Amino acid sequence: MQPIASGLFTKDDPPRLIGGRDRATGRIVFPCPPGDGFEAVPLSRTGTLWSYTIQRFRPKSPPYAGPEAFTPWALGYVELPGETIVEARLTDVEFGAIEIGMPLELTQVPLDPDAAESVAIPAFRPEGASA
Amino acid sequence: MTDVCIVGIGIHPFGRTEGRSGLEQGVFAVREALSDAGIAWGDVDFAYGASDAAGNPDTMVEQLGLTGAQFINVRNGCAAGGSALFSAQMAIKAGEADIGLAVGFDKHPRGAFDAKPAEYNLPEWYGDAGYMVTTQFFATKIMRYMHLNGISRETLGRVAAKAFRNGAKAPHAWRRDPVPLDVILDAPMVSDPYSKYMFCSPAEGGVALILASEKKARELGKPIVKLKAATMRTRPPGSFEVFAPSIDVERGGSATNIASRDAFEIAGIGPEDIGVAQLQDTEAGAELMHMAENGFVADGEQERYLREGWTEIDGRLPVNTDGGCLACGEPIGASGLRQVYENVVQLRGDGGARQVPGNPKTAYSHVYGAPGVSAVTILER
């Protein structure tokens, strides 16, 4: 699967997210903004769930580029300790089992699970869950 | 510097008005406000107008009259109306003019707002992936807040139930029917923990306020409602805002914290002195969180406040007496000005069935918008 955009993941196996460190303040953000003000840094693959919700309706297109057929999905903010809190899909977990503070690890999910060739977006799953 | 007074108010009912453009709803509100103040459009020296999706406010002059008045357009997310008011009062305070207008209107298509990444300095993939959805932000913000501060989902429901009860008593509100708590809690979910009754909807409407120097206000013979403070602030480091691909580990304050603190300082009073408050309630949890961010309660106290009815019209601090955004809907440009309109109604004692008892002397309004702006006003009669 090709990532939804370039510059989001490192080439490592498994990949890591690429954040940006503000050269002036040290503040880390995701994704890494263009320009000279930020230095690209690989982010921690693991973190804990900071908050979450379930998207229960299909977002408007544009800008949403996901499938026409809609299945609710979970998203969360994942705290990567000492770095930043990133927004991403949550996968491999029942909606009812999602809890703030749960340990998570980075993975990828297809934007359109039914498409033969979908782009990949960042996601987190419970630590130790199988792919 | 002169004190600034609100001498005229006008509103076009919120909701859906087929066959009338957003701009026409704004003109309707302006004519009402002029009539309320007992002046003509030709007496107005300048105007600030807010609209997000319904056209350029300055084109209203084609319908109001080609007087050559200065007319500036404001676009500031959901805080656009508050920003227009902030700007208008500055001109009078500075002595540049005696009579000014702050007007806001809007008319949005049905469904959620469809913001575009480029307008918020975000990469295209962020929208492609389904994150340009305001409801997600509000839901994740309250989910964290409930977790940290022991707020129950039932308390979210109580906010919505109160909004619809109050809206039923406000002629300008969109949702005029009370909705029982269990219906609110059991309704289909939109973005957990929020059901459909816990979110406001984009809507239509227009509000106009005529501002005058205190000297001019006395000449007009209107009841004196002073604008003691009007602040508009952007976000500090470590805040959590709409459309955030990442947020800082080190948590900070909010635009609301700063706008509120500064407004109280300018007015020379504190939260305990406020008699009635209109707080941005894009969704039920926003009202709760904004009660704390504006200094009216400590985090977590809302659970008891709501259970004991302290924010009801006859409670200790009535909040969103006209039903707020939940009952009125949210036309972006008009929303912040509706709050001030409602406060003037309350201070004049004209609230009818929704009038706060005991002749409140001070009123507070707070509007919040993307991508992290807040505007606060404090009125005193």
Side-chain angles (χ1 to χ4, degrees):
Chain A
M1 270 191 309
Q2 287 298 311
I4 191 167
S6 61
L8 297 187
F9 297 99
T10 65
K11 304 282 184 215
D12 303 317
D13 184 20
R16 298 163 72 174
L17 291 176
I18 302 173
R21 181 188 285 125
D22 188 322
R23 292 180 194 275
T25 65
R27 178 183 178 224
I28 295 176
V29 300
F30 173 80
C32 185
D36 296 335
F38 285 83
E39 162 193 18
V41 288
L43 300 177
S44 168
R45 290 195 63 252
T46 59
T48 55
L49 187 62
W50 188 81
S51 195
Y52 70 99
T53 187
I54 313 296
Q55 179 66 31
R56 301 269 181 186
F57 63 94
R58 190 182 184 282
K60 272 192 182 176
S61 295
Y64 182 54
E68 275 306 318
F70 182 73
T71 311
W73 36 263
L75 70 144
Y77 280 92
V78 181
E79 179 165 355
L80 309 177
E83 297 178 346
T84 187
I85 304 171
V86 297
E87 186 177 18
R89 295 290 181 96
L90 300 177
T91 187
D92 297 335
V93 57
E94 297 287 331
F95 292 162
I98 300 174
E99 278 183 28
I100 288 174
M102 68 194 296
L104 299 167
E105 65 182 8
L106 180 68
T107 182
Q108 298 181 345
V109 293
L111 181 58
D112 183 352
D114 297 324
E117 283 192 28
S118 173
V119 291
I121 59 173
F124 282 82
R125 65 185 177 197
E127 210 168 12
S130 57
Chain B
M1 283 197 298
T2 172
D3 268 335
V4 179
C5 299
I6 299 180
V7 296
I9 58 173
I11 195 163
H12 182 283
F14 279 35
R16 298 255 172 243
T17 309
E18 301 298 336
R20 185 172 281 173
S21 73
L23 192 124
E24 285 165 349
Q25 295 179 39
V27 169
F28 179 99
V30 172
R31 289 187 173 137
E32 266 207 345
L34 291 170
S35 158
D36 181 46
I39 60 171
W41 169 242
D43 298 323
V44 174
D45 301 316
F46 71 93
Y48 281 84
S51 169
D52 192 70
N56 292 324
D58 67 290
T59 58
M60 293 174 115
V61 298
E62 284 160 19
Q63 294 181 47
L64 292 170
L66 301 176
T67 62
Q70 169 182 267
F71 203 131
I72 293 169
N73 298 334
V74 178
R75 202 160 176 264
N76 243 155
C78 299
S83 301
L85 177 58
F86 169 78
S87 307
Q89 56 99 32
M90 291 279 279
I92 291 175
K93 240 186 192 170
E96 286 281 325
D98 273 331
I99 298 186
L101 165 72
V103 57
F105 57 86
D106 246 312
K107 188 180 183 93
H108 304 285
R110 288 164 199 274
F113 294 119
D114 56 341
K116 308 291 189 296
E119 293 172 14
Y120 291 88
N121 192 31
L122 289 165
E124 288 302 312
W125 71 263
Y126 187 74
D128 290 352
Y131 297 130
M132 292 300 291
V133 184
T134 52
T135 44
Q136 288 175 5
F137 158 75
F138 296 119
T140 52
K141 187 176 176 190
I142 192 65
M143 198 71 97
R144 176 82 185 168
Y145 193 81
M146 291 166 79
H147 173 77
L148 290 182
N149 299 292
I151 304 291
S152 67
R153 189 162 177 268
E154 187 167 311
T155 293
L156 302 181
R158 286 185 200 282
V159 173
K162 170 179 67 71
F164 298 124
R165 261 199 313 278
N166 292 356
K169 299 172 183 164
H172 63 257
W174 181 14
R175 315 280 188 204
R176 305 290 313 278
D177 295 314
V179 184
L181 182 59
D182 59 334
V183 172
I184 291 167
L185 292 173
D186 296 340
M189 298 290 271
V190 172
S191 199
D192 305 30
Y194 288 135
S195 71
K196 68 171 188 175
Y197 288 109
M198 296 178 183
F199 276 112
C200 81
S201 299
E204 305 172 19
V207 180
L209 306 173
I210 306 285
L211 308 181
S213 60
E214 187 174 1
K215 177 170 172 285
K216 195 73 182 177
R218 294 199 185 280
E219 282 172 28
L220 291 171
K222 294 297 295 181
I224 297 294
V225 174
K226 282 187 190 174
L227 186 55
K228 295 297 288 183
T231 58
M232 186 273 161
R233 299 286 184 268
T234 54
R235 59 200 182 277
S239 64
F240 177 29
E241 314 292 352
V242 187
F243 308 140
S246 72
I247 52 185
D248 294 342
V249 172
E250 192 174 329
R251 308 305 308 132
S254 68
T256 299
N257 288 151
I258 307 171
S260 173
R261 180 198 64 201
D262 292 355
F264 280 123
E265 192 178 314
I266 292 165
I269 60 173
E272 65 283 359
D273 300 316
I274 296 296
V276 54
Q278 318 296 330
L279 306 177
Q280 175 86 17
D281 61 332
T282 315
E283 11 68 59
E287 179 173 314
L288 296 175
M289 293 185 284
H290 290 148
M291 283 169 65
E293 286 185 41
N294 286 287
F296 294 110
V297 296
D299 291 319
E301 279 183 356
Q302 300 97 327
E303 189 72 10
R304 180 168 158 230
Y305 258 61
L306 270 288
R307 199 171 54 238
E308 299 187 355
W310 290 358
T311 58
E312 300 287 336
I313 284 170
D314 60 355
R316 185 178 290 203
L317 177 66
V319 174
N320 291 332
T321 44
D322 68 349
C325 294
L326 286 169
C328 293
E330 183 160 33
I332 289 180
S335 207
L337 296 179
R338 173 188 52 74
Q339 298 177 324
V340 181
Y341 170 92
E342 173 66 8
N343 277 340
V344 174
V345 168
Q346 292 289 345
L347 293 182
R348 288 180 179 177
D350 290 341
R354 69 182 191 284
Q355 177 63 43
V356 169
N359 305 316
K361 286 195 158 39
T362 54
Y364 187 94
S365 81
H366 155 261
V367 62
Y368 169 86
V373 290
S374 285
V376 166
T377 65
I378 295 174
L379 305 184
E380 190 180 278
R381 71 170 168 83

